Amino acid sequence: MKKKYSIASIVKNSFSNNERWEKMWRNPNPKKHYDVIIVGGGGHGLGTAYYLAKEHGVKNIAVIEKGWLGSGNTGRNTTIIRSNYLWDESAYLYDHAVKLWENLSEDLNYNMMFSQRGVLNLAHNEHDIKEIKRRVSANRLNGLDTMWLDKNEVKDLVPIMNTDNLRYPVLGAAYQPRGGVARHDAVAWGYAMRADELGVDIIQNCEVKGIKTDNYKVEGVETTKGFIKSKKIGVVASGHTSVLAATAGIRLPLQSRPLQALVSEPIKPVINTVVMSNAVHAYVSQSDKGELVIGAGTDGYNSFTQRGGYDVIEETVRAIVELYPIFGKMKMLRQWGGIVDICPDASPIISKCDVEGLYFNCGWGTGGFKATPGSANVFAHTIAKDEPHKINAPFALSRFSDGRLIDEHGAAAVAH
Amino acid sequence: MIIIKCPYCGERDQSEFSNGGEAHVVRPNNPESLSDKDWGEYVFFRNNPKGIFYERWVHSHGCKKWFNAVRNTSTDEILKIYKLKEKRPEITEFKNCLKSPSGEPKVGSGNFTVKK
């Protein structure tokens, strides 16, 4: 790994007015044939290519992205990282990711701005308390650092929160100190840079139009830059995964919906942790620039518009203002939407399928960012070995026929 | 935000309605002879096209009646609304679509219902 960035490089480049920084990755034309093609240049896809090259020694890899790197949900999420999921399978998967996050800046020599500032999940009624305490206990049995905080402890952590004088008072919270936030662009760029160094071809502005199969075997992908042959194809295209799967004759149990987020004007530091509330649907954190990053809910209908309805934001902002009256007069800077692929049990699918050489990493729904390194790591294993890693084996497509669902609707913070 | 024309009440804001997912999904009438895979298909798998989608809506904050709609999910444009007892209309084309090479609208090209 080349050490591209250091204090010395910053000083050196300042003399040339920061105009001569080395390009982070090449921009190659696609070859005719690759050993593995990854469809989707977000964090999960680029990470998969990186781990394939680094840990499994695969040489001839391409990542094909229809826009620019991280232009999909990698650049649209609210950057929250945590692993406090209920079931064992999820706890292992998401905590595998958190453990990788903890060393990712070092591993890639690229600053992820990973900040373990803790994540709170608020309880607003008796049922919430029971559900969250159950989840805290389950987490602790799995060795996660989640704990239950009562109202006063929550208030100590977030003094600006209105805990009493609102329709759904705050009664307590689950707290995971190892949770936090990271810089989402850095994840895509860091993985892209290091994957490129290992010889991965990153092909941007090239849309995959379809997956060609013959007698239940993949042959390659039809793209806007021509047909590219490959015996192994990994599809990591979030909201558009089911559209691509359909071109290979595969049906996935996914529904694509817009999920919105918004940021406010920047203010001085006022909230130093991440606070999420499922019941009133409000979650908020403060970015390093000082903007409040607020996540809204999904729209109640399938759509690919990358926008979402105004009523969804209104509902979220209403809850935010009630929980934090101090934010009442703040202005919001921007709002956007991303298309998320929602699975019936709110858990992802990282799996092979009936077509030989075709692999899917999808169904992350409203919470895929936190899992980026872990998901990429086990997906690379699945593609390289043609069998799942023990962490992602339970997340197979077959769970929708054998009934071993991993129901995480309670732990997925966004109601859907 | 989209405007939906309830066949009983007229045009209303989408927030008055709830979506009921894909329309015309028929419960298999031979459950005892279905394999786990086929049964799983019926329970969990629904179409998710980028384009023409037949779906159910209910005017939950209004007349509470169910009806069907055909919507282009890439633009949110509603192409047809029909009552449950009416026959499924065959719609294969939609206008108002900026086409990308694969025939889909460009990323973020947006919601024509809003732009109109």
Short mmCIF file of all heavy atoms in Angstrom, two decimals, chain A residues 255-258 299-305, chain B residues 2-4 14 19-22 48-57 68-82 89 91 93-94 111 113:
data_model
loop_
_atom_site.label_atom_id
_atom_site.label_comp_id
_atom_site.label_asym_id
_atom_site.label_seq_id
_atom_site.Cartn_x
_atom_site.Cartn_y
_atom_site.Cartn_z
N GLN A 255 -38.58 -4.73 -2.19
CA GLN A 255 -39.43 -3.63 -2.63
C GLN A 255 -38.61 -2.35 -2.51
O GLN A 255 -38.00 -2.10 -1.47
CB GLN A 255 -40.68 -3.53 -1.75
CG GLN A 255 -41.56 -4.78 -1.81
CD GLN A 255 -42.38 -4.87 -3.09
OE1 GLN A 255 -43.34 -4.14 -3.28
NE2 GLN A 255 -41.99 -5.76 -3.99
N SER A 256 -38.58 -1.56 -3.57
CA SER A 256 -37.74 -0.36 -3.58
C SER A 256 -38.54 0.87 -3.20
O SER A 256 -39.58 1.14 -3.81
CB SER A 256 -37.13 -0.16 -4.97
OG SER A 256 -36.29 -1.25 -5.26
N ARG A 257 -38.06 1.57 -2.22
CA ARG A 257 -38.79 2.75 -1.74
C ARG A 257 -37.84 3.91 -1.50
O ARG A 257 -36.68 3.68 -1.18
CB ARG A 257 -39.50 2.41 -0.44
CG ARG A 257 -40.55 1.37 -0.66
CD ARG A 257 -41.40 1.14 0.53
NE ARG A 257 -42.61 0.46 0.08
CZ ARG A 257 -43.64 0.20 0.85
NH1 ARG A 257 -43.63 0.56 2.10
NH2 ARG A 257 -44.69 -0.39 0.36
N PRO A 258 -38.35 5.13 -1.62
CA PRO A 258 -37.48 6.27 -1.32
C PRO A 258 -37.32 6.43 0.19
O PRO A 258 -38.27 6.26 0.94
CB PRO A 258 -38.26 7.47 -1.89
CG PRO A 258 -39.41 6.91 -2.66
CD PRO A 258 -39.67 5.55 -2.11
N ASP A 299 -41.05 6.35 2.23
CA ASP A 299 -42.39 6.59 1.69
C ASP A 299 -43.15 5.27 1.69
O ASP A 299 -42.55 4.21 1.59
CB ASP A 299 -42.31 7.15 0.28
CG ASP A 299 -42.04 8.63 0.30
OD1 ASP A 299 -40.94 9.00 0.68
OD2 ASP A 299 -42.95 9.41 -0.05
N GLY A 300 -44.45 5.37 1.75
CA GLY A 300 -45.26 4.15 1.88
C GLY A 300 -45.56 3.45 0.59
O GLY A 300 -46.51 2.67 0.51
N TYR A 301 -44.82 3.72 -0.47
CA TYR A 301 -45.11 3.07 -1.75
C TYR A 301 -43.82 2.90 -2.54
O TYR A 301 -42.85 3.62 -2.33
CB TYR A 301 -46.13 3.88 -2.56
CG TYR A 301 -45.76 5.34 -2.73
CD1 TYR A 301 -45.02 5.75 -3.82
CD2 TYR A 301 -46.12 6.29 -1.79
CE1 TYR A 301 -44.65 7.07 -3.98
CE2 TYR A 301 -45.76 7.62 -1.93
CZ TYR A 301 -45.03 8.01 -3.02
OH TYR A 301 -44.66 9.31 -3.17
N ASN A 302 -43.82 1.93 -3.46
CA ASN A 302 -42.62 1.68 -4.26
C ASN A 302 -42.36 2.82 -5.22
O ASN A 302 -43.28 3.31 -5.86
CB ASN A 302 -42.81 0.41 -5.10
CG ASN A 302 -42.87 -0.82 -4.25
OD1 ASN A 302 -42.90 -0.73 -3.02
ND2 ASN A 302 -42.87 -1.97 -4.89
N SER A 303 -41.11 3.23 -5.32
CA SER A 303 -40.78 4.30 -6.25
C SER A 303 -39.28 4.33 -6.47
O SER A 303 -38.50 3.93 -5.62
CB SER A 303 -41.26 5.63 -5.69
OG SER A 303 -40.84 6.68 -6.52
N PHE A 304 -38.88 4.80 -7.65
CA PHE A 304 -37.46 4.91 -7.99
C PHE A 304 -37.07 6.36 -8.22
O PHE A 304 -36.10 6.65 -8.91
CB PHE A 304 -37.15 4.09 -9.25
CG PHE A 304 -37.21 2.59 -9.02
CD1 PHE A 304 -38.41 1.92 -9.03
CD2 PHE A 304 -36.05 1.87 -8.78
CE1 PHE A 304 -38.46 0.55 -8.82
CE2 PHE A 304 -36.09 0.50 -8.58
CZ PHE A 304 -37.31 -0.16 -8.60
N THR A 305 -37.83 7.30 -7.70
CA THR A 305 -37.65 8.71 -8.06
C THR A 305 -36.52 9.41 -7.30
O THR A 305 -36.20 10.54 -7.61
CB THR A 305 -38.93 9.51 -7.81
OG1 THR A 305 -39.32 9.29 -6.46
CG2 THR A 305 -40.03 9.07 -8.73
N ILE B 2 -47.46 13.01 -4.31
CA ILE B 2 -48.26 12.82 -5.51
C ILE B 2 -49.74 13.04 -5.20
O ILE B 2 -50.17 12.88 -4.06
CB ILE B 2 -48.02 11.45 -6.17
CG1 ILE B 2 -48.14 10.32 -5.16
CG2 ILE B 2 -46.67 11.38 -6.85
CD1 ILE B 2 -47.84 8.94 -5.75
N ILE B 3 -50.47 13.40 -6.22
CA ILE B 3 -51.91 13.57 -6.08
C ILE B 3 -52.57 12.31 -6.63
O ILE B 3 -52.22 11.85 -7.72
CB ILE B 3 -52.39 14.79 -6.91
CG1 ILE B 3 -51.64 16.05 -6.51
CG2 ILE B 3 -53.90 14.96 -6.80
CD1 ILE B 3 -52.01 16.62 -5.19
N ILE B 4 -53.47 11.75 -5.87
CA ILE B 4 -54.15 10.54 -6.31
C ILE B 4 -55.64 10.84 -6.45
O ILE B 4 -56.22 11.48 -5.57
CB ILE B 4 -53.93 9.39 -5.29
CG1 ILE B 4 -52.43 9.07 -5.21
CG2 ILE B 4 -54.73 8.15 -5.68
CD1 ILE B 4 -52.07 8.06 -4.16
N GLN B 14 -51.60 12.42 -1.53
CA GLN B 14 -51.19 11.03 -1.30
C GLN B 14 -51.17 10.66 0.18
O GLN B 14 -51.39 9.51 0.55
CB GLN B 14 -49.82 10.78 -1.95
CG GLN B 14 -49.20 9.42 -1.69
CD GLN B 14 -48.25 9.46 -0.52
OE1 GLN B 14 -47.45 10.39 -0.40
NE2 GLN B 14 -48.31 8.48 0.36
N ASN B 19 -50.74 2.61 0.83
CA ASN B 19 -50.45 1.73 -0.29
C ASN B 19 -50.60 0.28 0.15
O ASN B 19 -50.16 -0.09 1.24
CB ASN B 19 -49.03 2.01 -0.78
CG ASN B 19 -48.67 1.23 -2.00
OD1 ASN B 19 -48.28 0.08 -1.91
ND2 ASN B 19 -48.82 1.83 -3.17
N GLY B 20 -51.19 -0.52 -0.70
CA GLY B 20 -51.41 -1.92 -0.35
C GLY B 20 -50.53 -2.88 -1.12
O GLY B 20 -50.81 -4.07 -1.17
N GLY B 21 -49.48 -2.37 -1.75
CA GLY B 21 -48.56 -3.24 -2.48
C GLY B 21 -49.13 -3.70 -3.81
O GLY B 21 -50.12 -3.16 -4.30
N GLU B 22 -48.49 -4.71 -4.36
CA GLU B 22 -48.83 -5.18 -5.70
C GLU B 22 -50.29 -5.65 -5.77
O GLU B 22 -50.79 -6.30 -4.85
CB GLU B 22 -47.90 -6.33 -6.08
CG GLU B 22 -48.00 -6.71 -7.53
CD GLU B 22 -47.15 -7.93 -7.88
OE1 GLU B 22 -46.33 -8.36 -7.05
OE2 GLU B 22 -47.33 -8.44 -8.98
N ASN B 48 -41.28 -5.79 -8.43
CA ASN B 48 -40.71 -4.51 -8.02
C ASN B 48 -40.12 -3.82 -9.24
O ASN B 48 -38.93 -3.56 -9.31
CB ASN B 48 -39.63 -4.78 -6.96
CG ASN B 48 -39.06 -3.51 -6.39
OD1 ASN B 48 -39.75 -2.50 -6.29
ND2 ASN B 48 -37.79 -3.55 -6.00
N PRO B 49 -40.96 -3.56 -10.26
CA PRO B 49 -40.41 -3.05 -11.51
C PRO B 49 -40.07 -1.57 -11.43
O PRO B 49 -40.68 -0.83 -10.65
CB PRO B 49 -41.56 -3.27 -12.50
CG PRO B 49 -42.78 -3.16 -11.67
CD PRO B 49 -42.43 -3.69 -10.31
N LYS B 50 -39.08 -1.16 -12.22
CA LYS B 50 -38.86 0.27 -12.43
C LYS B 50 -39.61 0.59 -13.71
O LYS B 50 -39.14 0.33 -14.80
CB LYS B 50 -37.37 0.57 -12.58
CG LYS B 50 -37.09 2.06 -12.72
CD LYS B 50 -35.61 2.35 -12.63
CE LYS B 50 -35.37 3.84 -12.68
NZ LYS B 50 -33.97 4.17 -12.46
N GLY B 51 -40.81 1.08 -13.56
CA GLY B 51 -41.67 1.29 -14.72
C GLY B 51 -43.11 1.02 -14.32
O GLY B 51 -43.53 1.40 -13.23
N ILE B 52 -43.84 0.33 -15.18
CA ILE B 52 -45.27 0.13 -14.96
C ILE B 52 -45.53 -0.86 -13.82
O ILE B 52 -45.03 -1.98 -13.84
CB ILE B 52 -45.94 -0.33 -16.27
CG1 ILE B 52 -45.94 0.85 -17.24
CG2 ILE B 52 -47.35 -0.82 -16.01
CD1 ILE B 52 -46.39 0.51 -18.62
N PHE B 53 -46.30 -0.41 -12.86
CA PHE B 53 -46.57 -1.22 -11.66
C PHE B 53 -48.06 -1.17 -11.34
O PHE B 53 -48.64 -0.09 -11.25
CB PHE B 53 -45.74 -0.66 -10.50
CG PHE B 53 -45.77 -1.49 -9.24
CD1 PHE B 53 -45.57 -2.86 -9.28
CD2 PHE B 53 -46.00 -0.89 -8.01
CE1 PHE B 53 -45.58 -3.63 -8.11
CE2 PHE B 53 -46.02 -1.65 -6.83
CZ PHE B 53 -45.81 -3.01 -6.89
N TYR B 54 -48.66 -2.33 -11.19
CA TYR B 54 -50.07 -2.42 -10.80
C TYR B 54 -50.12 -2.54 -9.29
O TYR B 54 -49.52 -3.45 -8.73
CB TYR B 54 -50.72 -3.64 -11.45
CG TYR B 54 -50.85 -3.54 -12.95
CD1 TYR B 54 -49.75 -3.72 -13.78
CD2 TYR B 54 -52.08 -3.25 -13.54
CE1 TYR B 54 -49.87 -3.61 -15.15
CE2 TYR B 54 -52.19 -3.14 -14.91
CZ TYR B 54 -51.09 -3.32 -15.71
OH TYR B 54 -51.20 -3.21 -17.07
N GLU B 55 -50.82 -1.63 -8.63
CA GLU B 55 -50.79 -1.64 -7.17
C GLU B 55 -52.15 -1.30 -6.58
O GLU B 55 -53.05 -0.81 -7.25
CB GLU B 55 -49.74 -0.63 -6.68
CG GLU B 55 -50.08 0.79 -7.06
CD GLU B 55 -49.01 1.78 -6.69
OE1 GLU B 55 -48.04 1.41 -6.04
OE2 GLU B 55 -49.17 2.95 -7.07
N ARG B 56 -52.27 -1.57 -5.29
CA ARG B 56 -53.51 -1.29 -4.56
C ARG B 56 -53.32 -0.07 -3.67
O ARG B 56 -52.23 0.14 -3.12
CB ARG B 56 -53.90 -2.49 -3.69
CG ARG B 56 -54.09 -3.77 -4.47
CD ARG B 56 -54.45 -4.90 -3.54
NE ARG B 56 -53.41 -5.10 -2.52
CZ ARG B 56 -53.56 -5.85 -1.44
NH1 ARG B 56 -54.68 -6.47 -1.22
NH2 ARG B 56 -52.57 -6.00 -0.58
N TRP B 57 -54.36 0.71 -3.55
CA TRP B 57 -54.35 1.82 -2.60
C TRP B 57 -55.64 1.77 -1.80
O TRP B 57 -56.65 1.26 -2.27
CB TRP B 57 -54.28 3.17 -3.33
CG TRP B 57 -52.96 3.51 -3.95
CD1 TRP B 57 -52.57 3.20 -5.21
CD2 TRP B 57 -51.88 4.22 -3.35
NE1 TRP B 57 -51.29 3.67 -5.44
CE2 TRP B 57 -50.85 4.31 -4.31
CE3 TRP B 57 -51.67 4.79 -2.10
CZ2 TRP B 57 -49.64 4.94 -4.05
CZ3 TRP B 57 -50.46 5.43 -1.85
CH2 TRP B 57 -49.45 5.49 -2.81
N ASN B 68 -57.51 0.12 -7.32
CA ASN B 68 -56.23 -0.21 -7.94
C ASN B 68 -55.70 0.96 -8.75
O ASN B 68 -56.48 1.81 -9.20
CB ASN B 68 -56.38 -1.41 -8.87
CG ASN B 68 -56.60 -2.70 -8.10
OD1 ASN B 68 -56.18 -2.82 -6.95
ND2 ASN B 68 -57.26 -3.65 -8.72
N ALA B 69 -54.39 1.00 -8.93
CA ALA B 69 -53.79 2.03 -9.77
C ALA B 69 -52.67 1.42 -10.59
O ALA B 69 -52.07 0.42 -10.20
CB ALA B 69 -53.23 3.15 -8.90
N VAL B 70 -52.42 2.01 -11.74
CA VAL B 70 -51.24 1.67 -12.53
C VAL B 70 -50.34 2.89 -12.47
O VAL B 70 -50.76 3.99 -12.80
CB VAL B 70 -51.59 1.36 -13.99
CG1 VAL B 70 -50.36 0.81 -14.72
CG2 VAL B 70 -52.73 0.38 -14.08
N ARG B 71 -49.12 2.69 -11.97
CA ARG B 71 -48.22 3.83 -11.78
C ARG B 71 -46.87 3.51 -12.41
O ARG B 71 -46.44 2.37 -12.42
CB ARG B 71 -48.07 4.11 -10.28
CG ARG B 71 -47.29 5.37 -9.92
CD ARG B 71 -47.46 5.69 -8.44
NE ARG B 71 -47.17 4.53 -7.61
CZ ARG B 71 -45.96 4.29 -7.10
NH1 ARG B 71 -44.97 5.11 -7.29
NH2 ARG B 71 -45.74 3.20 -6.38
N ASN B 72 -46.25 4.53 -12.94
CA ASN B 72 -44.88 4.39 -13.43
C ASN B 72 -43.96 4.70 -12.26
O ASN B 72 -43.81 5.84 -11.84
CB ASN B 72 -44.66 5.38 -14.58
CG ASN B 72 -43.24 5.35 -15.10
OD1 ASN B 72 -42.41 4.58 -14.60
ND2 ASN B 72 -42.95 6.18 -16.07
N THR B 73 -43.32 3.66 -11.70
CA THR B 73 -42.52 3.87 -10.48
C THR B 73 -41.25 4.67 -10.74
O THR B 73 -40.60 5.10 -9.80
CB THR B 73 -42.13 2.54 -9.83
OG1 THR B 73 -41.39 1.78 -10.78
CG2 THR B 73 -43.33 1.75 -9.37
N SER B 74 -40.89 4.87 -12.01
CA SER B 74 -39.69 5.65 -12.24
C SER B 74 -39.98 7.15 -12.24
O SER B 74 -39.06 7.95 -12.14
CB SER B 74 -39.00 5.23 -13.55
OG SER B 74 -39.90 5.34 -14.61
N THR B 75 -41.24 7.53 -12.36
CA THR B 75 -41.58 8.96 -12.32
C THR B 75 -42.69 9.27 -11.33
O THR B 75 -42.99 10.42 -11.07
CB THR B 75 -42.05 9.44 -13.70
OG1 THR B 75 -43.18 8.66 -14.08
CG2 THR B 75 -40.98 9.31 -14.75
N ASP B 76 -43.32 8.25 -10.79
CA ASP B 76 -44.50 8.36 -9.92
C ASP B 76 -45.73 8.85 -10.66
O ASP B 76 -46.72 9.23 -10.05
CB ASP B 76 -44.24 9.28 -8.71
CG ASP B 76 -43.47 8.56 -7.62
OD1 ASP B 76 -43.33 7.33 -7.72
OD2 ASP B 76 -43.01 9.23 -6.69
N GLU B 77 -45.69 8.85 -11.98
CA GLU B 77 -46.86 9.28 -12.73
C GLU B 77 -47.93 8.19 -12.69
O GLU B 77 -47.65 7.02 -12.96
CB GLU B 77 -46.47 9.54 -14.19
CG GLU B 77 -47.60 10.12 -14.99
CD GLU B 77 -47.21 10.28 -16.46
OE1 GLU B 77 -46.17 9.76 -16.87
OE2 GLU B 77 -47.96 10.94 -17.18
N ILE B 78 -49.15 8.58 -12.31
CA ILE B 78 -50.24 7.61 -12.27
C ILE B 78 -50.88 7.52 -13.65
O ILE B 78 -51.32 8.52 -14.21
CB ILE B 78 -51.24 7.96 -11.18
CG1 ILE B 78 -50.56 7.77 -9.82
CG2 ILE B 78 -52.49 7.09 -11.29
CD1 ILE B 78 -51.36 8.17 -8.66
N LEU B 79 -50.88 6.32 -14.22
CA LEU B 79 -51.34 6.15 -15.59
C LEU B 79 -52.81 5.79 -15.65
O LEU B 79 -53.50 6.09 -16.62
CB LEU B 79 -50.51 5.06 -16.28
CG LEU B 79 -48.99 5.29 -16.24
CD1 LEU B 79 -48.25 4.03 -16.62
CD2 LEU B 79 -48.60 6.42 -17.16
N LYS B 80 -53.31 5.14 -14.62
CA LYS B 80 -54.71 4.71 -14.66
C LYS B 80 -55.15 4.36 -13.24
O LYS B 80 -54.37 3.78 -12.47
CB LYS B 80 -54.81 3.46 -15.55
CG LYS B 80 -56.15 2.82 -15.60
CD LYS B 80 -56.90 3.22 -16.84
CE LYS B 80 -58.32 2.64 -16.80
NZ LYS B 80 -59.26 3.41 -17.60
N ILE B 81 -56.37 4.73 -12.90
CA ILE B 81 -56.95 4.32 -11.62
C ILE B 81 -58.25 3.59 -11.92
O ILE B 81 -59.04 4.04 -12.75
CB ILE B 81 -57.16 5.54 -10.72
CG1 ILE B 81 -55.81 5.94 -10.12
CG2 ILE B 81 -58.18 5.26 -9.61
CD1 ILE B 81 -55.82 7.13 -9.24
N TYR B 82 -58.46 2.45 -11.31
CA TYR B 82 -59.68 1.69 -11.59
C TYR B 82 -60.18 1.00 -10.33
O TYR B 82 -59.42 0.71 -9.42
CB TYR B 82 -59.45 0.69 -12.73
CG TYR B 82 -58.31 -0.28 -12.54
CD1 TYR B 82 -58.55 -1.61 -12.20
CD2 TYR B 82 -56.99 0.12 -12.69
CE1 TYR B 82 -57.51 -2.50 -12.04
CE2 TYR B 82 -55.94 -0.76 -12.52
CZ TYR B 82 -56.20 -2.07 -12.19
OH TYR B 82 -55.17 -2.94 -12.02
N PRO B 89 -56.51 -3.19 -16.61
CA PRO B 89 -56.23 -2.60 -17.92
C PRO B 89 -54.83 -3.01 -18.40
O PRO B 89 -53.93 -3.18 -17.58
CB PRO B 89 -56.30 -1.10 -17.65
CG PRO B 89 -56.00 -0.95 -16.20
CD PRO B 89 -56.39 -2.22 -15.52
N ILE B 91 -51.66 -1.82 -19.84
CA ILE B 91 -50.91 -0.61 -20.16
C ILE B 91 -49.46 -1.00 -20.36
O ILE B 91 -48.85 -1.65 -19.50
CB ILE B 91 -51.04 0.43 -19.04
CG1 ILE B 91 -52.49 0.90 -18.97
CG2 ILE B 91 -50.11 1.62 -19.27
CD1 ILE B 91 -52.81 1.85 -17.87
N GLU B 93 -47.24 1.27 -22.24
CA GLU B 93 -46.41 2.42 -22.58
C GLU B 93 -46.68 3.57 -21.64
O GLU B 93 -47.77 3.71 -21.09
CB GLU B 93 -46.71 2.88 -24.00
CG GLU B 93 -45.98 2.05 -25.02
CD GLU B 93 -46.09 2.62 -26.41
OE1 GLU B 93 -46.61 3.75 -26.54
OE2 GLU B 93 -45.69 1.94 -27.34
N PHE B 94 -45.66 4.38 -21.46
CA PHE B 94 -45.87 5.62 -20.72
C PHE B 94 -45.09 6.71 -21.39
O PHE B 94 -44.06 6.47 -22.02
CB PHE B 94 -45.46 5.46 -19.25
CG PHE B 94 -44.13 4.82 -19.03
CD1 PHE B 94 -42.96 5.56 -19.06
CD2 PHE B 94 -44.05 3.45 -18.78
CE1 PHE B 94 -41.73 4.96 -18.85
CE2 PHE B 94 -42.81 2.84 -18.57
CZ PHE B 94 -41.66 3.60 -18.60
N ASN B 111 -39.80 13.58 -10.60
CA ASN B 111 -41.17 13.24 -10.41
C ASN B 111 -42.00 14.15 -11.30
O ASN B 111 -42.19 15.32 -11.03
CB ASN B 111 -41.47 13.49 -8.94
CG ASN B 111 -42.85 13.10 -8.58
OD1 ASN B 111 -43.76 13.22 -9.40
ND2 ASN B 111 -43.02 12.67 -7.36
N THR B 113 -45.08 14.18 -11.90
CA THR B 113 -46.34 14.61 -11.32
C THR B 113 -46.14 15.95 -10.61
O THR B 113 -47.00 16.81 -10.60
CB THR B 113 -46.85 13.57 -10.31
OG1 THR B 113 -46.47 12.30 -10.76
CG2 THR B 113 -48.33 13.64 -10.18
#
